[in-house]
Amino acid sequence: MQQETLSFIGTYIIPVVTAVTGWFAGMRKRKNTFLQDLQDSINLLSAENHRLLGELTEVNRDLVGIKKENAELKVAVDRLCSENSQLKEEVRGLRLQLSKKNTPA
């Protein structure tokens, strides 16, 4: 009878207990692996976000510089247009004087 009990325990009980224990241990490992995978994804996304934020900051800095340069160029173009208008008036006046001198009186 004792032999049968030991045989039953060895054949059925110990494998079931071992299987249940292994299943719980594996479940914990799976949860830990899943959490680690999630953390790795978060870290990767965070690093990519940090890189993109740095690029965006650099592009914005460049844009501010370009806007400033554009404003300076507009002022310079306006000044040159004004000077050009003045020079055209001077040339008209000089041509008029020249035509008066060349006209026989």
Side-chain angles (χ1 to χ4, degrees), residues 44-64:
L44 182 65
L45 290 172
S46 177
E48 181 68 10
N49 187 41
H50 181 71
R51 185 187 66 77
L52 290 174
L53 187 60
E55 285 182 17
L56 181 62
T57 301
E58 185 177 331
V59 168
N60 281 339
R61 192 177 307 121
D62 291 346
L63 182 61
V64 167

Side-chain angles (χ1 to χ4, degrees), residues 68-100:
K68 181 181 176 187
E69 183 180 349
N70 190 33
E72 292 169 355
L73 290 173
K74 283 181 179 181
V75 168
V77 166
D78 289 344
R79 182 178 45 80
L80 290 173
C81 286
S82 176
E83 287 177 13
N84 193 26
S85 294
Q86 290 173 352
L87 290 172
K88 283 182 180 179
E89 289 298 319
E90 286 181 33
V91 167
R92 243 186 247 124
L94 291 172
R95 283 186 181 161
L96 186 61
Q97 287 176 4
L98 186 60
S99 68
K100 284 181 183 177

